[in-house]
Amino acid sequence: MIILLTGGCGFIGSAVIRHLMNKTKHSIINIDCMTYAASVESTAKFLKDSRYKHEQTNINDLNSLKKIFQKYSPDAVMHLAAESHVDRSIDGPGAFIETNIIGTYNLLEASREYWSNLEHPQKDNFKFHHISTDEVFGHLELNESPFNKNTPYNPRSPYSASKASSDHLVRAWRDTYGLPTFITNTTNNYGPWHFPEKLIPLITLNAIHGKELPVYGDGANIRDWLFVEDHAEALVKAIEYGEPGDTYTIGARQPRTNLQVVEAICDILDEIQPTPEGTRRQLIRYVADRPGHDFRYEIDPTYAEQKLGWKAKHNFEAGIRKTIQWYLDNRMWWQKILDQRYAGQRLGGKNNVR
Ligand code: DAU
């Protein structure tokens, strides 16, 4: 299969490319315009492989998208390109509207034009896979059941509202034009190559440097943590076996409070790299909360597990250990980011300065 994949230099996209290149025979056209969070190193080793091509194009450039479809004749689309950081969406929602909503619209239109002109059987087998988030469902109280594919939408941040909009567009293009689309909604990912603005890489790097560890609010918010390589495997199963019109909610059944996550990072680093100052838990600081902070996300992955024949392999303890070791072994990558692109400052509301 020739897969046109957007956002392949991002955290999850690059994990999907590594999985496709290392574990399958599919070919990949990676459309990535290289925003601040993209990392060319995460897929660089495939640049000389004839199964992999990188087109540095913005998904809002409709003419270029159309040319890429004609040039490569893909069998499927995996759409991962997105602005994804909730705190940045609070500071500047415009980029989220542009990329997540307008960009998805452009990709749908380019796909529709290309697919309409395909011949059988390529036309019958074509799939458009939209990769989305569980944040479109809003948030849960402690006593509520985890999200599943029938949970009503209730996005609460500019980021999740933009992803919810893109999900609606993707479904509308199927219902209206017959474009064979389906959606996966996934819970929090973590692992190698994660840009250090998100909780786990930010805390890991601060803890390595002996810097303060910012915990929003009281640290009781809950996230359900999925190791990115397990997610990549699920997404590849989905493009191979997913049914147009369906929705798959993907997770690992590993909910933890933010405080549990931060303490786990401290304890593992203390074990691997003890410091004379004592436990890194002393560095934890409770800081002003994120505006509109979603309390709890949790996914029920049962349906996706049954339909896709997939199950997450890592529990949180195994995944976080691998992740921390990866950051310790890959200083060259993240040091350049800290020096040139993002030094770990607080994002998400000018009133929330630490
Ligand atoms: O549920 C999936 C979503 O998970 C994805 O769609 C998003 O793209 C992804 O960013 C993530 O959203 P979160 O807002 O949950 O991730 P983040 O890493 O920003 O924050 C995780 C939790 O940690 C959240 O409750 C806020 C808190 N937090 C975050 C940072 C950056 C802190 O307490 N301190 C921090 O410094």
Short mmCIF file of all heavy atoms in Angstrom, two decimals, residues 108 138 157 160 180 190 216 249:
data_model
loop_
_atom_site.label_atom_id
_atom_site.label_comp_id
_atom_site.label_asym_id
_atom_site.label_seq_id
_atom_site.Cartn_x
_atom_site.Cartn_y
_atom_site.Cartn_z
N LEU A 108 -9.17 17.01 2.89
CA LEU A 108 -10.38 16.29 2.47
C LEU A 108 -10.72 16.61 1.01
O LEU A 108 -11.07 15.72 0.23
CB LEU A 108 -11.56 16.66 3.38
CG LEU A 108 -11.57 16.03 4.77
CD1 LEU A 108 -12.58 16.74 5.68
CD2 LEU A 108 -11.89 14.54 4.70
N GLY A 138 -14.69 16.01 25.79
CA GLY A 138 -14.77 16.81 27.01
C GLY A 138 -14.00 16.14 28.13
O GLY A 138 -12.95 15.56 27.90
N SER A 157 -11.52 23.23 25.08
CA SER A 157 -10.40 24.16 24.86
C SER A 157 -10.37 24.52 23.38
O SER A 157 -10.95 23.79 22.56
CB SER A 157 -9.08 23.51 25.26
OG SER A 157 -8.72 22.53 24.30
N SER A 160 -9.16 21.38 21.58
CA SER A 160 -10.09 20.25 21.41
C SER A 160 -11.27 20.65 20.54
O SER A 160 -11.80 19.81 19.80
CB SER A 160 -10.53 19.69 22.76
OG SER A 160 -11.05 20.69 23.59
N PRO A 180 -14.38 7.47 1.72
CA PRO A 180 -14.34 6.41 2.75
C PRO A 180 -13.45 6.77 3.94
O PRO A 180 -12.30 6.34 4.04
CB PRO A 180 -13.80 5.19 1.99
CG PRO A 180 -13.23 5.70 0.73
CD PRO A 180 -13.69 7.09 0.48
N TYR A 190 2.88 9.21 25.20
CA TYR A 190 4.19 9.62 25.71
C TYR A 190 5.22 8.66 25.15
O TYR A 190 4.88 7.56 24.69
CB TYR A 190 4.21 9.60 27.26
CG TYR A 190 4.09 8.21 27.83
CD1 TYR A 190 5.21 7.55 28.35
CD2 TYR A 190 2.88 7.53 27.80
CE1 TYR A 190 5.10 6.24 28.84
CE2 TYR A 190 2.77 6.23 28.28
CZ TYR A 190 3.88 5.60 28.79
OH TYR A 190 3.78 4.32 29.26
N TYR A 216 0.24 21.72 37.64
CA TYR A 216 -0.88 22.66 37.58
C TYR A 216 -1.92 22.29 38.65
O TYR A 216 -2.28 21.12 38.80
CB TYR A 216 -1.58 22.60 36.21
CG TYR A 216 -0.75 23.02 35.01
CD1 TYR A 216 -1.28 22.86 33.72
CD2 TYR A 216 0.52 23.58 35.12
CE1 TYR A 216 -0.56 23.24 32.59
CE2 TYR A 216 1.25 23.96 34.01
CZ TYR A 216 0.71 23.78 32.74
OH TYR A 216 1.42 24.14 31.62
N THR A 249 -11.79 4.05 19.54
CA THR A 249 -11.18 4.79 20.65
C THR A 249 -10.04 3.93 21.22
O THR A 249 -10.24 2.78 21.60
CB THR A 249 -12.20 5.14 21.76
OG1 THR A 249 -12.91 3.96 22.12
CG2 THR A 249 -13.18 6.19 21.28
#
